[in-house]
Amino acid sequence: MSTVDSDREEFALLVRGLVGHLEWARQCGSLHFSREHDVPAPYVMEPWLDPPLEGPREPHSSPPSQRQEVPAEEPLRPADRAVEPRVSDASVASPRTLTAPVSAQTPSTKPVVATSVTLPIEVVSPMFFAELEERPELLAPVLSSANLSAEQRVRALSVLAEEVSACRKCQLCERRKQTVFSRGDSQAELFFVGEAPGADEDEQGVPFVGAAGQLLDKILAAMGMSDRDVYIANVAKCRPPNNRVPSLEESAACGAYLHRQLDIVRPKLVVALGKAAANFLLGRSSPMDQLRGIWHDLRGIPMMVTWHPSYLLRNPDAKKDTWQDMKVVLGRLGREPAPTTRT
Ligand code: URA
Ligand code: SF4
């Protein structure tokens, strides 16, 4: 490939990223970009690995292949994250109960200084440029998800759930009854990531409601937690036929939505349930004995990997491992297990 071609390709990539970002900002409720604002730092490719840009910027984390497991650290204190009023996530759990689209809602007038930028993987239609010319109000201050209020977070997730419900990016759309977006609370400190919906989830449109989900609920109860304390989503949002593991292509296509969910929720900790979710998030392909029970660095968010509840249903002896892992997670959150399960 000539230098000109590769420059062109790089430029096309940049433009696609920018367009993707504009779409994302619009979905987050942005109204216009302000020229008066000083953008405090250069835009970055992977925003949710970057801290908010109040202090000096940390260097980027290393690519997945060079990443080290992070050692356990001081427990996170509840005060580490600003407490925001809870906003009901009921509208997010099922796309059928979505709130009005962003464009139909009253925007916040408070200016938000641009911080970091999400460049979604999906390519947004060039029509978006034409739309921008006709509707300049779509150009808004860039909202970083780090700055999203509780309400904006719920709204951004609602818009994303709506987008997912119409998605046909991979072949899993063909046999789904409906997409399965999330369950739990978008203010949660703890984000559980599963693999893909099964038959019950496909039927109900909610993750982890079948047998594996009932076991997950028991684990949560033992942790002294409920759906108010966690956010739960899968790598794939549509049920794979015969509950097979999503292919790499399917995971890559759908995983972009999971990254956006992580970006919006910005949990303190992530728990990957099983090998498929863990390997997808870490961008590697490792066996469980190299993944489970240790802290991983998910672009700045500590992530614990534990057994998938379906595996635990087949191998009940492994439940003690998962309980061990969950106690480590609770310790890092500065929380105690439920009184009946403290041992
Ligand atoms: N298994 C998963 O990984 N996710 C679900 O939602 C249900 C079962
Ligand atoms: Fe779209 Fe994900 Fe469903 Fe594939 S699995 S069609 S990417 S929502």
Side-chain angles (χ1 to χ4, degrees):
M1 191 189 295
S2 74
T3 320
V4 174
D5 283 347
S6 80
D7 284 353
R8 265 204 193 124
E9 204 161 88
E10 195 178 343
F11 181 67
L13 200 69
L14 279 170
V15 171
R16 284 209 297 267
L18 175 63
V19 171
H21 170 66
L22 290 172
E23 173 64 10
W24 176 85
R26 183 174 71 101
Q27 288 177 359
C28 290
S30 302
L31 290 176
H32 63 276
F33 284 105
S34 165
R35 294 200 184 133
E36 283 131 48
H37 283 311
D38 253 358
V39 176
Y43 291 160
V44 292
M45 287 294 288
E46 295 179 305
W48 62 280
L49 75 127
D50 291 296
L53 304 178
E54 278 128 31
R57 179 173 278 273
E58 300 270 314
H60 277 196
S61 61
S62 49
S65 56
Q66 295 166 22
R67 260 177 226 147
Q68 299 296 313
E69 275 73 46
V70 289
E73 281 164 13
E74 292 290 298
L76 298 160
R77 287 165 292 112
D80 285 348
R81 177 157 147 175
V83 179
E84 292 163 347
R86 278 179 187 278
V87 175
S88 164
D89 284 59
S91 61
V92 176
S94 161
R96 278 164 297 168
T97 54
L98 288 175
T99 52
V102 168
S103 53
Q105 295 179 4
T106 315
S108 156
T109 49
K110 201 169 155 228
V112 181
V113 176
T115 55
S116 58
V117 166
T118 297
L119 297 179
I121 291 169
E122 308 96 302
V123 176
V124 175
S125 152
M127 288 300 290
F128 187 62
F129 274 136
E131 199 186 349
L132 282 183
E133 270 173 24
E134 279 169 26
R135 297 176 56 200
E137 75 275 11
L138 293 180
L139 289 171
V142 179
L143 284 175
S144 158
S145 51
N147 292 335
L148 292 184
S149 68
E151 197 184 329
Q152 285 168 328
R153 218 175 271 199
V154 168
R155 220 165 79 183
L157 288 167
S158 293
V159 172
L160 185 57
E162 193 171 40
E163 182 182 334
V164 168
S165 71
C167 176
R168 305 195 67 80
K169 280 197 303 184
C170 81
Q171 59 178 2
L172 295 185
C173 68
E174 280 158 24
R175 288 166 67 178
R176 72 179 177 218
K177 287 194 173 144
Q178 58 191 313
T179 54
V180 176
F181 188 70
S182 74
R183 116 185 196 203
D185 192 320
S186 60
Q187 305 300 303
E189 297 177 333
L190 190 53
F191 193 130
F192 281 86
V193 179
E195 183 179 305
D200 296 303
E201 291 76 19
D202 187 42
E203 198 66 52
Q204 297 184 41
V206 180
F208 284 101
V209 288
Q214 281 158 24
L215 179 53
L216 181 60
D217 286 344
K218 283 188 192 155
I219 295 169
L220 291 178
M223 295 170 79
M225 291 182 159
S226 70
D227 271 10
R228 282 181 66 79
D229 307 285
V230 295
Y231 186 87
I232 304 173
N234 288 307
V235 175
K237 308 295 192 240
C238 302
R239 182 193 179 198
N242 306 317
N243 298 340
R244 65 164 169 75
V245 179
S247 68
L248 283 182
E249 290 75 20
E250 291 156 357
S251 299
C254 208
Y257 296 128
L258 175 65
H259 283 303
R260 281 160 73 182
Q261 286 172 295
L262 283 161
D263 193 9
I264 294 166
V265 175
R266 287 197 180 234
K268 275 186 187 170
L269 301 181
V270 171
V271 173
L273 296 168
K275 193 166 73 166
N279 279 329
F280 169 74
L281 286 168
L282 294 169
R284 62 196 236 192
S285 171
S286 303
M288 270 305 258
D289 59 4
Q290 288 171 24
L291 292 166
R292 210 216 97 238
I294 48 174
W295 288 111
H296 301 264
D297 177 8
L298 183 57
R299 301 168 169 179
I301 304 176
M303 180 174 92
M304 174 64 71
V305 179
T306 196
W307 298 114
H308 191 286
S310 303
Y311 176 86
L312 296 177
L313 289 172
R314 296 189 306 271
N315 301 278
D317 284 354
K319 285 183 186 171
K320 59 181 179 326
D321 295 340
T322 288
W323 183 232
Q324 190 59 42
D325 301 340
M326 293 307 100
K327 282 195 288 189
V328 174
V329 167
L330 284 172
R332 192 138 186 192
L333 288 172
R335 294 176 66 135
E336 295 276 341
T340 46
T341 47
R342 270 175 220 165
T343 48

